[in-house]
PDB file of all heavy atoms in Angstrom:
ATOM      1  N   SER A  50       8.744   8.035  -7.730  1.00 87.00           N
ATOM      2  CA  SER A  50       9.291   8.805  -8.744  1.00 87.00           C
ATOM      3  C   SER A  50       9.797  10.102  -8.279  1.00 87.00           C
ATOM      4  O   SER A  50      10.747  10.680  -8.866  1.00 87.00           O
ATOM      5  CB  SER A  50       8.243   8.946  -9.886  1.00 87.00           C
ATOM      6  OG  SER A  50       7.748   7.741 -10.370  1.00 87.00           O
ATOM      7  N   ALA A  51       9.076  10.723  -7.290  1.00 90.00           N
ATOM      8  CA  ALA A  51       9.388  12.036  -6.809  1.00 90.00           C
ATOM      9  C   ALA A  51       8.816  12.229  -5.453  1.00 90.00           C
ATOM     10  O   ALA A  51       7.791  11.625  -5.094  1.00 90.00           O
ATOM     11  CB  ALA A  51       8.960  13.135  -7.706  1.00 90.00           C
ATOM     12  N   HIS A  53       7.808  15.430  -2.803  1.00 94.00           N
ATOM     13  CA  HIS A  53       7.569  16.875  -2.764  1.00 94.00           C
ATOM     14  C   HIS A  53       7.363  17.372  -1.321  1.00 94.00           C
ATOM     15  O   HIS A  53       6.905  16.628  -0.460  1.00 94.00           O
ATOM     16  CB  HIS A  53       6.140  17.209  -3.411  1.00 94.00           C
ATOM     17  CG  HIS A  53       6.102  16.915  -4.879  1.00 94.00           C
ATOM     18  ND1 HIS A  53       6.164  17.752  -5.905  1.00 94.00           N
ATOM     19  CD2 HIS A  53       5.843  15.592  -5.430  1.00 94.00           C
ATOM     20  CE1 HIS A  53       6.028  17.171  -7.074  1.00 94.00           C
ATOM     21  NE2 HIS A  53       5.846  15.911  -6.788  1.00 94.00           N
ATOM     22  N   LEU A  55       5.866  20.653   0.715  1.00 95.00           N
ATOM     23  CA  LEU A  55       4.988  21.785   0.560  1.00 95.00           C
ATOM     24  C   LEU A  55       4.827  22.582   1.894  1.00 95.00           C
ATOM     25  O   LEU A  55       5.069  21.960   2.922  1.00 95.00           O
ATOM     26  CB  LEU A  55       3.609  21.333   0.010  1.00 95.00           C
ATOM     27  CG  LEU A  55       3.520  20.305  -1.027  1.00 95.00           C
ATOM     28  CD1 LEU A  55       2.157  19.622  -1.098  1.00 95.00           C
ATOM     29  CD2 LEU A  55       3.865  21.003  -2.413  1.00 95.00           C
ATOM     30  N   GLN A  57       2.191  25.041   3.911  1.00 94.00           N
ATOM     31  CA  GLN A  57       0.837  25.607   4.016  1.00 94.00           C
ATOM     32  C   GLN A  57       0.752  26.676   5.069  1.00 94.00           C
ATOM     33  O   GLN A  57       1.042  26.478   6.261  1.00 94.00           O
ATOM     34  CB  GLN A  57      -0.254  24.536   4.392  1.00 94.00           C
ATOM     35  CG  GLN A  57      -1.692  25.098   4.294  1.00 94.00           C
ATOM     36  CD  GLN A  57      -2.678  23.961   4.326  1.00 94.00           C
ATOM     37  OE1 GLN A  57      -2.443  22.894   5.011  1.00 94.00           O
ATOM     38  NE2 GLN A  57      -3.864  24.206   3.819  1.00 94.00           N
ATOM     39  N   GLY A  60      -3.353  30.890   6.488  1.00 81.00           N
ATOM     40  CA  GLY A  60      -4.553  31.174   5.738  1.00 81.00           C
ATOM     41  C   GLY A  60      -5.069  30.040   4.839  1.00 81.00           C
ATOM     42  O   GLY A  60      -6.139  30.108   4.351  1.00 81.00           O
ATOM     43  N   GLY A  61      -4.238  29.008   4.752  1.00 83.00           N
ATOM     44  CA  GLY A  61      -4.600  27.797   3.979  1.00 83.00           C
ATOM     45  C   GLY A  61      -3.930  27.693   2.626  1.00 83.00           C
ATOM     46  O   GLY A  61      -3.846  26.532   2.085  1.00 83.00           O
ATOM     47  N   GLY A  62      -3.256  28.724   2.087  1.00 87.00           N
ATOM     48  CA  GLY A  62      -2.703  28.555   0.808  1.00 87.00           C
ATOM     49  C   GLY A  62      -1.419  27.616   0.877  1.00 87.00           C
ATOM     50  O   GLY A  62      -0.672  27.643   1.889  1.00 87.00           O
ATOM     51  N   ILE A  63      -1.224  26.856  -0.123  1.00 91.00           N
ATOM     52  CA  ILE A  63      -0.152  25.947  -0.185  1.00 91.00           C
ATOM     53  C   ILE A  63       0.929  26.344  -1.340  1.00 91.00           C
ATOM     54  O   ILE A  63       0.454  26.669  -2.451  1.00 91.00           O
ATOM     55  CB  ILE A  63      -0.613  24.497  -0.480  1.00 91.00           C
ATOM     56  CG1 ILE A  63      -1.403  24.015   0.663  1.00 91.00           C
ATOM     57  CG2 ILE A  63       0.562  23.571  -0.760  1.00 91.00           C
ATOM     58  CD1 ILE A  63      -2.026  22.597   0.495  1.00 91.00           C
ATOM     59  N   SER A  65       4.670  25.030  -3.162  1.00 90.00           N
ATOM     60  CA  SER A  65       5.618  23.998  -3.394  1.00 90.00           C
ATOM     61  C   SER A  65       7.039  24.503  -2.971  1.00 90.00           C
ATOM     62  O   SER A  65       7.435  25.580  -3.502  1.00 90.00           O
ATOM     63  CB  SER A  65       5.638  23.547  -4.771  1.00 90.00           C
ATOM     64  OG  SER A  65       6.534  22.503  -5.015  1.00 90.00           O
ATOM     65  N   MET A  68      10.972  19.676  -4.998  1.00 92.00           N
ATOM     66  CA  MET A  68      10.554  18.433  -5.577  1.00 92.00           C
ATOM     67  C   MET A  68      11.929  17.703  -5.844  1.00 92.00           C
ATOM     68  O   MET A  68      12.726  18.329  -6.521  1.00 92.00           O
ATOM     69  CB  MET A  68       9.802  18.687  -6.891  1.00 92.00           C
ATOM     70  CG  MET A  68       9.424  17.444  -7.659  1.00 92.00           C
ATOM     71  SD  MET A  68       8.541  17.829  -9.165  1.00 92.00           S
ATOM     72  CE  MET A  68       9.776  18.642 -10.079  1.00 92.00           C
ATOM     73  N   SER A  70      14.040  13.771  -6.379  1.00 89.00           N
ATOM     74  CA  SER A  70      14.044  12.366  -6.562  1.00 89.00           C
ATOM     75  C   SER A  70      15.283  11.654  -6.055  1.00 89.00           C
ATOM     76  O   SER A  70      15.344  10.395  -6.020  1.00 89.00           O
ATOM     77  CB  SER A  70      13.756  11.990  -8.076  1.00 89.00           C
ATOM     78  OG  SER A  70      14.803  12.573  -8.872  1.00 89.00           O
ATOM     79  N   ILE A 106       4.117  19.814   4.581  1.00 96.00           N
ATOM     80  CA  ILE A 106       3.585  18.619   4.053  1.00 96.00           C
ATOM     81  C   ILE A 106       4.576  17.908   3.094  1.00 96.00           C
ATOM     82  O   ILE A 106       5.067  18.529   2.157  1.00 96.00           O
ATOM     83  CB  ILE A 106       2.266  18.908   3.378  1.00 96.00           C
ATOM     84  CG1 ILE A 106       1.325  19.633   4.298  1.00 96.00           C
ATOM     85  CG2 ILE A 106       1.604  17.688   2.783  1.00 96.00           C
ATOM     86  CD1 ILE A 106       0.052  20.245   3.582  1.00 96.00           C
ATOM     87  N   LEU A 110       4.984  10.800  -5.091  1.00 89.00           N
ATOM     88  CA  LEU A 110       4.524  10.252  -6.387  1.00 89.00           C
ATOM     89  C   LEU A 110       5.129   8.848  -6.479  1.00 89.00           C
ATOM     90  O   LEU A 110       6.290   8.706  -6.767  1.00 89.00           O
ATOM     91  CB  LEU A 110       4.854  11.065  -7.575  1.00 89.00           C
ATOM     92  CG  LEU A 110       4.349  10.626  -8.859  1.00 89.00           C
ATOM     93  CD1 LEU A 110       2.788  10.680  -8.888  1.00 89.00           C
ATOM     94  CD2 LEU A 110       4.803  11.481 -10.056  1.00 89.00           C
ATOM     95  N   GLN A 115      -0.273   7.932 -10.772  1.00 78.00           N
ATOM     96  CA  GLN A 115      -0.578   9.241 -11.376  1.00 78.00           C
ATOM     97  C   GLN A 115      -0.824  10.306 -10.352  1.00 78.00           C
ATOM     98  O   GLN A 115      -0.967  11.509 -10.639  1.00 78.00           O
ATOM     99  CB  GLN A 115      -1.736   9.250 -12.447  1.00 78.00           C
ATOM    100  CG  GLN A 115      -1.397   8.298 -13.561  1.00 78.00           C
ATOM    101  CD  GLN A 115      -2.616   8.112 -14.501  1.00 78.00           C
ATOM    102  OE1 GLN A 115      -3.764   8.229 -13.946  1.00 78.00           O
ATOM    103  NE2 GLN A 115      -2.414   8.091 -15.764  1.00 78.00           N
ATOM    104  N   LYS A 116      -1.046   9.901  -9.128  1.00 84.00           N
ATOM    105  CA  LYS A 116      -1.563  10.772  -8.077  1.00 84.00           C
ATOM    106  C   LYS A 116      -0.559  10.885  -6.947  1.00 84.00           C
ATOM    107  O   LYS A 116       0.132   9.884  -6.668  1.00 84.00           O
ATOM    108  CB  LYS A 116      -2.871  10.293  -7.512  1.00 84.00           C
ATOM    109  CG  LYS A 116      -3.979   9.975  -8.549  1.00 84.00           C
ATOM    110  CD  LYS A 116      -5.170   9.300  -7.875  1.00 84.00           C
ATOM    111  CE  LYS A 116      -4.876   7.864  -7.552  1.00 84.00           C
ATOM    112  NZ  LYS A 116      -6.033   7.228  -7.025  1.00 84.00           N
ATOM    113  N   LEU A 117      -0.494  12.067  -6.331  1.00 89.00           N
ATOM    114  CA  LEU A 117       0.332  12.251  -5.155  1.00 89.00           C
ATOM    115  C   LEU A 117      -0.428  11.593  -3.992  1.00 89.00           C
ATOM    116  O   LEU A 117      -1.611  11.633  -3.836  1.00 89.00           O
ATOM    117  CB  LEU A 117       0.546  13.689  -4.922  1.00 89.00           C
ATOM    118  CG  LEU A 117       1.456  14.499  -5.878  1.00 89.00           C
ATOM    119  CD1 LEU A 117       1.471  15.923  -5.509  1.00 89.00           C
ATOM    120  CD2 LEU A 117       2.825  13.851  -5.901  1.00 89.00           C
ATOM    121  N   PHE A 119      -0.270  12.109   0.166  1.00 92.00           N
ATOM    122  CA  PHE A 119       0.217  13.185   1.102  1.00 92.00           C
ATOM    123  C   PHE A 119       0.333  12.642   2.509  1.00 92.00           C
ATOM    124  O   PHE A 119      -0.420  11.813   2.922  1.00 92.00           O
ATOM    125  CB  PHE A 119      -0.816  14.311   1.079  1.00 92.00           C
ATOM    126  CG  PHE A 119      -0.955  15.149  -0.159  1.00 92.00           C
ATOM    127  CD1 PHE A 119      -1.739  14.655  -1.206  1.00 92.00           C
ATOM    128  CD2 PHE A 119      -0.314  16.293  -0.330  1.00 92.00           C
ATOM    129  CE1 PHE A 119      -1.770  15.314  -2.399  1.00 92.00           C
ATOM    130  CE2 PHE A 119      -0.361  17.063  -1.514  1.00 92.00           C
ATOM    131  CZ  PHE A 119      -1.118  16.541  -2.571  1.00 92.00           C
ATOM    132  N   GLY A 120       1.397  13.146   3.188  1.00 93.00           N
ATOM    133  CA  GLY A 120       1.490  12.888   4.605  1.00 93.00           C
ATOM    134  C   GLY A 120       0.514  13.864   5.398  1.00 93.00           C
ATOM    135  O   GLY A 120      -0.165  14.697   4.755  1.00 93.00           O
ATOM    136  N   GLN A 121       0.339  13.627   6.666  1.00 92.00           N
ATOM    137  CA  GLN A 121      -0.613  14.362   7.410  1.00 92.00           C
ATOM    138  C   GLN A 121      -0.228  15.765   7.761  1.00 92.00           C
ATOM    139  O   GLN A 121      -1.053  16.614   8.296  1.00 92.00           O
ATOM    140  CB  GLN A 121      -1.087  13.552   8.677  1.00 92.00           C
ATOM    141  CG  GLN A 121      -0.132  13.549   9.788  1.00 92.00           C
ATOM    142  CD  GLN A 121       0.921  12.441   9.613  1.00 92.00           C
ATOM    143  OE1 GLN A 121       1.396  12.145   8.590  1.00 92.00           O
ATOM    144  NE2 GLN A 121       1.218  11.911  10.780  1.00 92.00           N
ATOM    145  N   GLY A 122       1.123  16.095   7.541  1.00 94.00           N
ATOM    146  CA  GLY A 122       1.517  17.428   7.822  1.00 94.00           C
ATOM    147  C   GLY A 122       2.207  17.576   9.167  1.00 94.00           C
ATOM    148  O   GLY A 122       1.855  16.805  10.094  1.00 94.00           O
TER     149      GLY A 122
ATOM    150  N   LYS B  18     -13.692  32.398  -0.994  1.00 91.00           N
ATOM    151  CA  LYS B  18     -12.722  31.901   0.000  1.00 91.00           C
ATOM    152  C   LYS B  18     -13.546  31.171   1.144  1.00 91.00           C
ATOM    153  O   LYS B  18     -13.041  30.212   1.710  1.00 91.00           O
ATOM    154  CB  LYS B  18     -11.839  33.074   0.561  1.00 91.00           C
ATOM    155  CG  LYS B  18     -10.803  32.566   1.475  1.00 91.00           C
ATOM    156  CD  LYS B  18      -9.723  33.609   1.624  1.00 91.00           C
ATOM    157  CE  LYS B  18      -8.570  33.099   2.550  1.00 91.00           C
ATOM    158  NZ  LYS B  18      -7.907  31.978   2.029  1.00 91.00           N
ATOM    159  N   TYR B  44      -8.894  18.571  -3.941  1.00 96.00           N
ATOM    160  CA  TYR B  44      -8.524  17.865  -2.719  1.00 96.00           C
ATOM    161  C   TYR B  44      -9.444  18.406  -1.593  1.00 96.00           C
ATOM    162  O   TYR B  44      -9.874  19.496  -1.578  1.00 96.00           O
ATOM    163  CB  TYR B  44      -7.124  18.110  -2.236  1.00 96.00           C
ATOM    164  CG  TYR B  44      -6.047  17.589  -3.173  1.00 96.00           C
ATOM    165  CD1 TYR B  44      -5.538  18.397  -4.177  1.00 96.00           C
ATOM    166  CD2 TYR B  44      -5.635  16.232  -3.113  1.00 96.00           C
ATOM    167  CE1 TYR B  44      -4.516  17.956  -4.992  1.00 96.00           C
ATOM    168  CE2 TYR B  44      -4.685  15.809  -3.874  1.00 96.00           C
ATOM    169  CZ  TYR B  44      -4.099  16.618  -4.915  1.00 96.00           C
ATOM    170  OH  TYR B  44      -3.139  16.057  -5.764  1.00 96.00           O
ATOM    171  N   GLN B  46      -9.361  18.871   2.685  1.00 93.00           N
ATOM    172  CA  GLN B  46      -8.462  18.814   3.889  1.00 93.00           C
ATOM    173  C   GLN B  46      -9.379  18.932   5.072  1.00 93.00           C
ATOM    174  O   GLN B  46     -10.124  19.895   5.181  1.00 93.00           O
ATOM    175  CB  GLN B  46      -7.474  19.930   3.812  1.00 93.00           C
ATOM    176  CG  GLN B  46      -6.386  19.784   4.947  1.00 93.00           C
ATOM    177  CD  GLN B  46      -5.343  20.901   4.786  1.00 93.00           C
ATOM    178  OE1 GLN B  46      -5.680  22.049   4.504  1.00 93.00           O
ATOM    179  NE2 GLN B  46      -4.117  20.484   5.037  1.00 93.00           N
ATOM    180  N   GLY B  49      -6.053  17.899  11.000  1.00 77.00           N
ATOM    181  CA  GLY B  49      -5.238  16.760  11.404  1.00 77.00           C
ATOM    182  C   GLY B  49      -5.034  15.609  10.408  1.00 77.00           C
ATOM    183  O   GLY B  49      -4.427  14.629  10.714  1.00 77.00           O
ATOM    184  N   GLN B  50      -5.591  15.849   9.201  1.00 81.00           N
ATOM    185  CA  GLN B  50      -5.458  14.840   8.161  1.00 81.00           C
ATOM    186  C   GLN B  50      -4.764  15.380   6.949  1.00 81.00           C
ATOM    187  O   GLN B  50      -4.752  16.573   6.670  1.00 81.00           O
ATOM    188  CB  GLN B  50      -6.806  14.334   7.768  1.00 81.00           C
ATOM    189  CG  GLN B  50      -7.657  13.646   8.829  1.00 81.00           C
ATOM    190  CD  GLN B  50      -8.888  12.865   8.211  1.00 81.00           C
ATOM    191  OE1 GLN B  50      -8.832  12.375   7.094  1.00 81.00           O
ATOM    192  NE2 GLN B  50      -9.913  12.876   9.023  1.00 81.00           N
ATOM    193  N   GLY B  51      -4.075  14.474   6.262  1.00 84.00           N
ATOM    194  CA  GLY B  51      -3.524  14.855   4.904  1.00 84.00           C
ATOM    195  C   GLY B  51      -4.581  15.175   3.868  1.00 84.00           C
ATOM    196  O   GLY B  51      -5.789  14.864   4.054  1.00 84.00           O
ATOM    197  N   LEU B  52      -4.134  15.790   2.777  1.00 92.00           N
ATOM    198  CA  LEU B  52      -5.020  16.158   1.693  1.00 92.00           C
ATOM    199  C   LEU B  52      -5.476  14.787   1.072  1.00 92.00           C
ATOM    200  O   LEU B  52      -4.680  13.861   0.884  1.00 92.00           O
ATOM    201  CB  LEU B  52      -4.244  16.914   0.572  1.00 92.00           C
ATOM    202  CG  LEU B  52      -4.190  18.379   0.800  1.00 92.00           C
ATOM    203  CD1 LEU B  52      -3.316  18.737   2.022  1.00 92.00           C
ATOM    204  CD2 LEU B  52      -3.754  19.119  -0.475  1.00 92.00           C
ATOM    205  N   LEU B  54      -7.689  13.178  -2.205  1.00 94.00           N
ATOM    206  CA  LEU B  54      -8.019  13.432  -3.537  1.00 94.00           C
ATOM    207  C   LEU B  54      -9.459  13.109  -3.830  1.00 94.00           C
ATOM    208  O   LEU B  54      -9.892  12.006  -3.584  1.00 94.00           O
ATOM    209  CB  LEU B  54      -7.130  12.636  -4.553  1.00 94.00           C
ATOM    210  CG  LEU B  54      -7.321  12.890  -6.067  1.00 94.00           C
ATOM    211  CD1 LEU B  54      -6.970  14.348  -6.435  1.00 94.00           C
ATOM    212  CD2 LEU B  54      -6.493  11.932  -6.808  1.00 94.00           C
ATOM    213  N   TYR B  57      -9.824  14.138 -10.351  1.00 95.00           N
ATOM    214  CA  TYR B  57      -8.798  14.743 -11.081  1.00 95.00           C
ATOM    215  C   TYR B  57      -9.068  14.557 -12.526  1.00 95.00           C
ATOM    216  O   TYR B  57      -9.877  13.623 -12.966  1.00 95.00           O
ATOM    217  CB  TYR B  57      -7.412  14.252 -10.686  1.00 95.00           C
ATOM    218  CG  TYR B  57      -7.114  12.754 -11.075  1.00 95.00           C
ATOM    219  CD1 TYR B  57      -6.370  12.440 -12.183  1.00 95.00           C
ATOM    220  CD2 TYR B  57      -7.597  11.805 -10.217  1.00 95.00           C
ATOM    221  CE1 TYR B  57      -6.069  11.128 -12.505  1.00 95.00           C
ATOM    222  CE2 TYR B  57      -7.325  10.511 -10.590  1.00 95.00           C
ATOM    223  CZ  TYR B  57      -6.492  10.127 -11.683  1.00 95.00           C
ATOM    224  OH  TYR B  57      -6.283   8.818 -11.951  1.00 95.00           O
ATOM    225  N   GLN B  59      -7.137  15.006 -16.510  1.00 92.00           N
ATOM    226  CA  GLN B  59      -5.922  15.131 -17.208  1.00 92.00           C
ATOM    227  C   GLN B  59      -6.069  15.747 -18.589  1.00 92.00           C
ATOM    228  O   GLN B  59      -5.198  16.095 -19.282  1.00 92.00           O
ATOM    229  CB  GLN B  59      -5.152  13.873 -17.302  1.00 92.00           C
ATOM    230  CG  GLN B  59      -4.680  13.303 -15.914  1.00 92.00           C
ATOM    231  CD  GLN B  59      -3.774  12.101 -15.986  1.00 92.00           C
ATOM    232  OE1 GLN B  59      -4.148  11.153 -16.662  1.00 92.00           O
ATOM    233  NE2 GLN B  59      -2.654  12.155 -15.299  1.00 92.00           N
ATOM    234  N   ASP B  68      -9.871   9.286  -4.192  1.00 91.00           N
ATOM    235  CA  ASP B  68     -10.130   8.391  -3.148  1.00 91.00           C
ATOM    236  C   ASP B  68     -11.452   8.556  -2.362  1.00 91.00           C
ATOM    237  O   ASP B  68     -11.920   7.645  -1.715  1.00 91.00           O
ATOM    238  CB  ASP B  68      -9.022   8.543  -2.116  1.00 91.00           C
ATOM    239  CG  ASP B  68      -7.593   8.289  -2.791  1.00 91.00           C
ATOM    240  OD1 ASP B  68      -7.557   7.225  -3.476  1.00 91.00           O
ATOM    241  OD2 ASP B  68      -6.664   8.943  -2.560  1.00 91.00           O
ATOM    242  N   PHE B  97     -12.135  22.107   4.187  1.00 94.00           N
ATOM    243  CA  PHE B  97     -11.369  23.090   3.364  1.00 94.00           C
ATOM    244  C   PHE B  97     -11.039  22.418   2.081  1.00 94.00           C
ATOM    245  O   PHE B  97     -10.508  21.248   2.047  1.00 94.00           O
ATOM    246  CB  PHE B  97     -10.082  23.437   4.133  1.00 94.00           C
ATOM    247  CG  PHE B  97      -9.261  24.489   3.453  1.00 94.00           C
ATOM    248  CD1 PHE B  97      -9.787  25.719   3.273  1.00 94.00           C
ATOM    249  CD2 PHE B  97      -7.942  24.258   3.116  1.00 94.00           C
ATOM    250  CE1 PHE B  97      -9.043  26.761   2.742  1.00 94.00           C
ATOM    251  CE2 PHE B  97      -7.179  25.273   2.539  1.00 94.00           C
ATOM    252  CZ  PHE B  97      -7.714  26.473   2.324  1.00 94.00           C
ATOM    253  N   LEU B  99      -9.173  22.343  -1.706  1.00 95.00           N
ATOM    254  CA  LEU B  99      -8.089  22.914  -2.460  1.00 95.00           C
ATOM    255  C   LEU B  99      -8.103  22.352  -3.901  1.00 95.00           C
ATOM    256  O   LEU B  99      -8.254  21.184  -4.107  1.00 95.00           O
ATOM    257  CB  LEU B  99      -6.796  22.564  -1.773  1.00 95.00           C
ATOM    258  CG  LEU B  99      -6.410  23.380  -0.593  1.00 95.00           C
ATOM    259  CD1 LEU B  99      -5.562  22.553   0.330  1.00 95.00           C
ATOM    260  CD2 LEU B  99      -5.742  24.579  -0.946  1.00 95.00           C
ATOM    261  N   ASP B 107       6.354  13.118 -15.582  1.00 57.00           N
ATOM    262  CA  ASP B 107       6.780  12.207 -14.553  1.00 57.00           C
ATOM    263  C   ASP B 107       6.662  12.684 -13.119  1.00 57.00           C
ATOM    264  O   ASP B 107       6.266  11.972 -12.252  1.00 57.00           O
ATOM    265  CB  ASP B 107       8.219  11.741 -14.808  1.00 57.00           C
ATOM    266  CG  ASP B 107       8.329  10.900 -16.088  1.00 57.00           C
ATOM    267  OD1 ASP B 107       7.232  10.464 -16.497  1.00 57.00           O
ATOM    268  OD2 ASP B 107       9.383  10.673 -16.539  1.00 57.00           O
ATOM    269  N   TYR B 108       7.003  13.961 -12.876  1.00 65.00           N
ATOM    270  CA  TYR B 108       7.190  14.342 -11.488  1.00 65.00           C
ATOM    271  C   TYR B 108       6.017  15.012 -10.952  1.00 65.00           C
ATOM    272  O   TYR B 108       5.965  15.159  -9.661  1.00 65.00           O
ATOM    273  CB  TYR B 108       8.380  15.322 -11.303  1.00 65.00           C
ATOM    274  CG  TYR B 108       9.674  14.632 -11.701  1.00 65.00           C
ATOM    275  CD1 TYR B 108      10.729  15.389 -12.213  1.00 65.00           C
ATOM    276  CD2 TYR B 108       9.843  13.229 -11.528  1.00 65.00           C
ATOM    277  CE1 TYR B 108      11.919  14.702 -12.474  1.00 65.00           C
ATOM    278  CE2 TYR B 108      11.079  12.603 -11.918  1.00 65.00           C
ATOM    279  CZ  TYR B 108      12.096  13.406 -12.333  1.00 65.00           C
ATOM    280  OH  TYR B 108      13.289  12.815 -12.658  1.00 65.00           O
ATOM    281  N   ASN B 109       5.045  15.350 -11.704  1.00 70.00           N
ATOM    282  CA  ASN B 109       3.699  15.787 -11.185  1.00 70.00           C
ATOM    283  C   ASN B 109       3.844  16.960 -10.124  1.00 70.00           C
ATOM    284  O   ASN B 109       3.198  16.897  -9.088  1.00 70.00           O
ATOM    285  CB  ASN B 109       3.082  14.652 -10.576  1.00 70.00           C
ATOM    286  CG  ASN B 109       1.517  14.971 -10.448  1.00 70.00           C
ATOM    287  OD1 ASN B 109       1.000  15.916 -10.845  1.00 70.00           O
ATOM    288  ND2 ASN B 109       0.768  13.969  -9.840  1.00 70.00           N
ATOM    289  N   GLU B 110       4.547  17.982 -10.415  1.00 81.00           N
ATOM    290  CA  GLU B 110       4.655  19.146  -9.510  1.00 81.00           C
ATOM    291  C   GLU B 110       3.359  19.882  -9.654  1.00 81.00           C
ATOM    292  O   GLU B 110       2.897  20.369 -10.708  1.00 81.00           O
ATOM    293  CB  GLU B 110       5.784  20.076  -9.811  1.00 81.00           C
ATOM    294  CG  GLU B 110       5.964  21.193  -8.881  1.00 81.00           C
ATOM    295  CD  GLU B 110       7.088  22.109  -9.274  1.00 81.00           C
ATOM    296  OE1 GLU B 110       7.747  21.952 -10.320  1.00 81.00           O
ATOM    297  OE2 GLU B 110       7.435  22.971  -8.361  1.00 81.00           O
ATOM    298  N   GLN B 111       2.660  20.027  -8.544  1.00 87.00           N
ATOM    299  CA  GLN B 111       1.368  20.641  -8.551  1.00 87.00           C
ATOM    300  C   GLN B 111       1.426  22.107  -7.999  1.00 87.00           C
ATOM    301  O   GLN B 111       2.138  22.389  -7.022  1.00 87.00           O
ATOM    302  CB  GLN B 111       0.374  19.843  -7.777  1.00 87.00           C
ATOM    303  CG  GLN B 111       0.173  18.406  -8.405  1.00 87.00           C
ATOM    304  CD  GLN B 111      -0.902  17.597  -7.697  1.00 87.00           C
ATOM    305  OE1 GLN B 111      -1.685  18.105  -6.944  1.00 87.00           O
ATOM    306  NE2 GLN B 111      -0.927  16.297  -8.043  1.00 87.00           N
ATOM    307  N   PHE B 113      -1.078  24.982  -6.310  1.00 92.00           N
ATOM    308  CA  PHE B 113      -2.325  25.100  -5.571  1.00 92.00           C
ATOM    309  C   PHE B 113      -2.990  26.408  -5.534  1.00 92.00           C
ATOM    310  O   PHE B 113      -2.354  27.433  -5.580  1.00 92.00           O
ATOM    311  CB  PHE B 113      -2.056  24.679  -4.119  1.00 92.00           C
ATOM    312  CG  PHE B 113      -1.711  23.196  -3.943  1.00 92.00           C
ATOM    313  CD1 PHE B 113      -0.533  22.672  -4.117  1.00 92.00           C
ATOM    314  CD2 PHE B 113      -2.823  22.322  -3.581  1.00 92.00           C
ATOM    315  CE1 PHE B 113      -0.155  21.328  -3.982  1.00 92.00           C
ATOM    316  CE2 PHE B 113      -2.522  20.962  -3.487  1.00 92.00           C
ATOM    317  CZ  PHE B 113      -1.212  20.461  -3.682  1.00 92.00           C
ATOM    318  N   GLY B 114      -4.309  26.370  -5.512  1.00 93.00           N
ATOM    319  CA  GLY B 114      -5.128  27.567  -5.293  1.00 93.00           C
ATOM    320  C   GLY B 114      -5.152  27.922  -3.869  1.00 93.00           C
ATOM    321  O   GLY B 114      -4.665  27.189  -3.048  1.00 93.00           O
ATOM    322  N   PRO B 115      -5.823  29.071  -3.548  1.00 92.00           N
ATOM    323  CA  PRO B 115      -5.824  29.552  -2.130  1.00 92.00           C
ATOM    324  C   PRO B 115      -6.852  28.711  -1.255  1.00 92.00           C
ATOM    325  O   PRO B 115      -6.860  28.868  -0.036  1.00 92.00           O
ATOM    326  CB  PRO B 115      -6.218  30.995  -2.259  1.00 92.00           C
ATOM    327  CG  PRO B 115      -6.972  31.007  -3.537  1.00 92.00           C
ATOM    328  CD  PRO B 115      -6.336  30.085  -4.417  1.00 92.00           C
TER     329      PRO B 115
END
Side-chain angles (χ1 to χ4, degrees):
Chain A
S50 299
H53 299 257
L55 311 167
Q57 185 170 29
I63 292 179
S65 179
M68 180 179 62
S70 57
I106 301 169
L110 180 64
Q115 297 176 325
K116 305 172 288 182
L117 292 176
F119 293 81
Q121 75 272 41
Chain B
K18 188 162 180 65
Y44 295 96
Q46 187 178 40
Q50 295 193 34
L52 276 69
L54 182 65
Y57 67 105
Q59 295 188 310
D68 301 316
F97 187 59
L99 283 153
D107 290 345
Y108 296 152
N109 199 3
E110 181 178 14
Q111 297 185 14
F113 288 83

